[in-house]
Amino acid sequence: MRTGTFAPDGQATQEQPFRKGNLACSHEWLEDVASLDEVLARLDVLRAADPAHCYLSTLDDLDQCSYTCGHASQDERLYLEVPEGFDWEDPVQLAAWECDSLRHRAGQLRNPELMQSWEQVCGTLCTIGPDVDALLAANRAPEQLLDDVLYLQRVPVAAQDLAIAGLPNGYFSADWDMFQNHAVIRHLGQAHGYAFFGMGASWLGFARAQPLDAAMARQLAAELRQLYGKGREEVLEHGGWAQLAALLAQRRTLLLGYTESFAETLDLGEGD
């Protein structure tokens, strides 16, 4: 695994070939990642050295993630108006506005009038049977989700669930938006001990210190069955939920799709 740190202005150079784009909180990038455990280990190192910040990795499809992040941040519930006379070419003004915007988004996530619950999110994503197959495939081999380059976000927020404010996503109307994703993040953290560590164009990443025990894994699988299958008989009756419970008792990570047709992001071969 190779790492690199972004230039202060976030622009690409010969020595630093990647630019931040719409991901303003990007701190460093990773290349040649062989396993998800490598990503988690690097995040642990960064957090230990800098406990004042939260850290979050991109996952799948970096370019699409950056594109939809730019649009998702324009949501009227999240967008901070640009001050009159603002100069987009002034790096000092731009950095200050980006910081203010992030604080505004984090505050909106904790706004009781905007917060959603797990129960409200259940059944809101239009899912079909292959989406359950995709959940199984992604959690069996999460490395297949990772793009060739990952951006690690350094987010100045007080709690890990708020790190999504540094990587807002969920732009298209059929996807979970940032408030719905935040409801999922909060519930998994509070009820099951999963910390939010990653977000891509279609997937969320979570990790806990140890895998769930068998009973807790079955309970979470039952909750996920309702999250994705409420009102959808094909999904509720899919045989993969018991297999997912078995996986959750073996692995400490959890990958969840949050966009319409997230199964299409994986090459599902026969038998997955």
Side-chain angles (χ1 to χ4, degrees), residues 17-260:
F18 301 108
R19 59 185 296 272
K20 291 184 178 183
N22 290 320
L23 309 182
C25 290
S26 296
H27 172 67
E28 70 176 43
W29 70 80
L30 305 181
E31 296 180 87
D32 302 327
V33 174
S35 72
L36 187 58
D37 285 341
E38 288 186 356
V39 180
L40 294 173
R42 183 59 188 164
L43 290 171
D44 286 343
V45 168
L46 292 171
R47 293 186 188 110
D50 180 23
H53 291 84
C54 292
Y55 285 85
L56 183 69
S57 178
T58 60
L59 298 172
D60 59 291
D61 200 341
L62 177 60
D63 289 342
Q64 180 70 6
C65 181
S66 177
Y67 170 79
T68 50
C69 177
H71 285 287
S73 63
Q74 303 292 311
D75 185 311
E76 63 180 11
R77 298 168 296 177
L78 301 172
Y79 186 68
L80 184 67
E81 291 293 335
V82 178
E84 186 176 351
F86 186 83
D87 182 0
W88 290 99
E89 301 300 321
D90 183 342
V92 175
Q93 289 188 48
L94 181 59
W97 180 77
E98 287 176 341
C99 186
D100 289 343
S101 294
L102 187 146
R103 283 198 293 262
H104 175 69
R105 291 194 296 268
Q108 291 292 80
L109 288 175
R110 290 289 172 87
N111 183 340
E113 296 181 359
L114 297 175
M115 291 176 71
Q116 295 198 35
S117 68
W118 173 274
E119 290 75 17
Q120 287 175 301
V121 180
C122 285
T124 56
L125 199 64
C126 185
T127 52
I128 56 176
D131 292 313
V132 184
D133 297 325
L135 289 173
L136 285 168
N139 282 284
R140 284 193 188 111
E143 289 73 24
Q144 67 185 299
L145 288 181
L146 304 181
D147 207 337
D148 293 337
V149 178
L150 305 178
Y151 284 11
L152 303 189
Q153 310 298 301
R154 182 175 182 260
V155 191
V157 290
Q160 188 64 31
D161 68 285
L162 296 177
I164 193 175
L167 192 59
N169 230 314
Y171 163 58
F172 297 107
S173 60
D175 304 339
W176 287 336
D177 62 26
M178 194 164 99
F179 294 92
Q180 291 169 308
N181 281 326
H182 187 235
V184 172
I185 291 165
R186 290 198 322 272
H187 178 79
L188 290 173
Q190 294 167 4
H192 299 285
Y194 280 97
F196 175 52
F197 78 84
M199 185 165 201
S202 295
W203 292 83
L204 303 168
F206 303 87
R208 66 194 314 275
Q210 299 293 333
L212 296 168
D213 65 33
M216 293 172 64
R218 288 192 296 271
Q219 174 62 35
L220 177 53
E223 294 178 18
L224 294 173
R225 178 173 173 265
Q226 288 298 312
L227 180 68
Y228 288 104
K230 184 178 179 181
R232 307 183 190 283
E233 186 174 355
E234 176 188 3
V235 176
L236 288 174
E237 295 184 355
H238 195 286
W241 296 112
Q243 298 175 57
L244 183 61
L247 279 174
L248 297 178
Q250 298 167 7
R251 306 187 64 98
R252 70 185 188 98
T253 54
L254 171 64
L255 284 299
L256 298 179
Y258 71 90
T259 59
E260 183 182 30

